[in-house]
Amino acid sequence: MTYNIVALPGDGIGPEIMEAGLAVLKAVAAYEGFDYEVVSCDFGGGAIDTFGMPLPTPTLKAAKEADAILHGSIGDPRFDNEAIRPEQGLLEIRKELGLFSNIRPLKIYDALKAVSPIKNVENVDFVVVRELTGGIYFGKHTLNENDAEDVCSYTKHEVERVAHAAFKLARTRRKKVTSIDKQNVLATSKLWRKVVSEVAKNYPDVELHHQLVDSAAMLFITNPQQFDVIVTENLFGDILTDEAAAIAGTLGVMASSSKGDKVAFYEPIHGSAPDIAGLGIANPIGMISSVAMMLSDTFGLHGAAKKIEDAIEQTLKDGILTKDLGGNATTQAVCNGIISRLDY
Ligand code: NAD
Ligand code: IPM
Ligand code: MN
């Protein structure tokens, strides 16, 4: 069987980290002996230039037919004041593919414990399950001269399905779910809390806690050890996972998977980093770790994924660090470091 992978390199550092991710994939495939094909498609700002839209029809078609999708990052300041923006393509593809469950693990590499701004990161190990196709991102946005409005809505069904994903994940871990909301103010959060509590009844072996988002943001810093699986709505999940990335030492190492009923989508959680794009110094680990997630989750190659994660850990231990981690290694040097440390 040949795995059919669609690659969306995107904008800014996207193509640089994608090149690194695909190089690791190539090396692992050679060792493991599996066949795969990568089709690279236009997406984001580059696609606006060529097609006038960030998610061109051929890209969406290829993505729908793929076994898995790898995304680098999109976003380009050139479009900051334009009606059509790269980010719209990302929201559209998430919606079109029904990717309602965005899984963002906080993994603290041993070698980065000293880099974390948190003094004690021993036993910090949690996963954020971020709802990805609802909430304020997908409500009506109205911008007038003197006022503006963004509508936030959730249906019971939307909350239920992502809650089930979180409880199922918790069963494979420490059996604890923390649901984060703002139910003291928001109607969508009141619904969220009620529905999550109802879903919890199907998982009596899993402990459920509710936490308001503002104090949750504080607890990430003061007691991150208490979290196992976090489930939260789209915007809260976006913000909290960048906060989680700070605990990990850098945004550059955070990987993610986005799942629905069909094809899964793998991407680092960071953006196109326009401030360092083109310099060859982006940290490729979030992308490479996303490749590992794809191999494990979609293709069942758990051993291969572990080899990649171990090689990442060893590369960091050996001090091959990009600038975001205080080093001066290039993207390519980190990538080569990881490939040469694959233990086959
Ligand atoms: P960003 O994540 O691009 O960058 C934030 C900071 O982190 C920057 O200083 C950047 O240099 C650094 N950084 C990020 N990834 C890095 C990496 N791999 N290695 C080293 N340093 C890294 O966020 P931003 O600056 O707020 O947004 C820039 C653009 O990216 C915007 O257009 C935004 O919409 C877009 N964005 C896209 C995605 C995505 O494609 N999934 C995610 C977030 C932001
Ligand atoms: C992310 C990004 C996106 C989001 C933007 C680019 C639309 O920040 O993937 O975390 O907010 O979901
Ligand atoms: Mn984000």
Side-chain angles (χ1 to χ4, degrees):
M1 180 189 168
T2 301
Y3 302 137
N4 166 19
I5 298 163
V6 160
L8 309 174
D11 306 317
I13 61 169
E16 302 166 39
I17 56 168
M18 182 62 78
E19 194 184 326
L22 294 180
V24 172
L25 177 63
K26 186 176 177 186
V28 169
Y31 285 123
E32 296 274 338
F34 64 80
D35 294 323
Y36 71 99
E37 201 173 283
V38 174
V39 177
S40 207
C41 297
D42 291 294
F43 187 53
I48 298 177
D49 292 333
T50 316
F51 294 86
M53 57 178 102
L55 176 58
T57 312
T59 298
L60 180 60
K61 185 171 182 290
K64 281 186 170 164
E65 290 166 1
D67 294 322
I69 301 159
L70 290 172
H71 174 230
S73 58
I74 49 81
D76 185 326
R78 285 190 299 132
F79 301 97
D80 274 355
N81 299 310
E82 301 295 327
I84 299 178
R85 300 181 53 115
E87 289 85 350
Q88 292 158 356
L90 187 57
L91 300 186
E92 201 183 327
I93 200 167
R94 288 171 177 170
K95 194 71 163 180
E96 283 284 343
L97 301 177
L99 302 169
F100 61 84
S101 169
N102 177 213
I103 294 153
R104 296 183 159 190
L106 171 60
K107 179 182 161 65
I108 315 261
Y109 291 102
D110 280 341
L112 298 189
K113 283 182 179 160
V115 179
S116 174
I118 306 295
K119 272 190 226 134
N120 176 15
V121 285
E122 285 308 322
N123 304 318
V124 175
D125 173 14
F126 66 76
V127 183
V128 177
V129 180
R130 169 191 177 195
E131 200 292 323
L132 202 60
T133 52
I136 202 162
Y137 278 76
F138 292 92
K140 193 168 166 235
H141 307 291
T142 313
L143 175 60
N144 301 315
E145 194 60 29
N146 296 312
D147 60 82
E149 185 181 41
D150 297 288
V151 176
C152 182
S153 61
Y154 266 109
T155 64
K156 183 178 176 190
H157 170 67
E158 286 172 326
V159 182
E160 266 172 1
R161 62 187 182 177
V162 74
H164 278 292
F167 281 102
K168 283 186 182 138
L169 179 61
R171 275 191 167 159
T172 69
R173 296 175 46 93
R174 304 196 306 277
K175 298 192 172 57
K176 182 173 172 187
V177 170
T178 305
S179 173
I180 295 178
D181 62 38
K182 186 74 187 173
Q183 77 94 38
N184 49 348
V185 177
L186 302 176
T188 44
S189 279
K190 290 185 172 75
L191 177 82
W192 182 277
R193 193 174 282 213
K194 185 167 154 263
V195 174
V196 171
S197 301
E198 278 164 16
V199 170
K201 291 179 189 152
N202 299 292
Y203 304 86
D205 51 321
V206 179
E207 192 187 324
L208 171 65
H209 282 269
H210 297 283
Q211 191 73 42
L212 295 172
V213 64
D214 44 357
S215 54
M218 177 210 44
L219 291 169
F220 267 38
I221 307 300
T222 56
N223 187 5
Q225 284 84 356
Q226 72 178 262
F227 298 111
D228 177 17
V229 173
I230 288 169
V231 64
T232 192
E233 66 92 63
N234 205 342
L235 182 61
F236 297 161
D238 178 44
I239 297 167
L240 289 172
T241 47
D242 270 30
E243 190 188 1
I247 304 171
T250 171
L251 195 46
V253 295
M254 294 280 287
S256 84
S257 70
S258 300
K259 292 174 184 164
D261 306 319
K262 291 162 258 166
V263 59
F265 187 98
Y266 298 88
E267 60 174 340
I269 80 160
H270 63 72
S272 56
D275 53 338
I276 57 163
L279 301 179
I281 58 167
N283 190 334
I285 291 177
M287 183 78 240
I288 292 169
S289 183
S290 298
V291 168
M293 278 180 101
M294 173 188 78
L295 291 178
S296 175
D297 292 10
T298 294
F299 302 127
L301 297 166
H302 308 293
K306 170 120 187 7
K307 297 259 189 208
I308 294 175
E309 283 301 333
D310 289 348
I312 292 173
E313 181 74 83
Q314 198 51 53
T315 304
L316 293 170
K317 271 193 187 133
D318 291 343
I320 305 176
L321 307 172
T322 39
K323 194 166 169 230
D324 53 320
L325 289 169
N328 56 15
T330 60
T331 307
Q332 213 182 342
V334 173
C335 173
N336 292 340
I338 292 169
I339 291 172
S340 67
R341 285 166 181 76
L342 288 166
D343 180 23
Y344 281 96

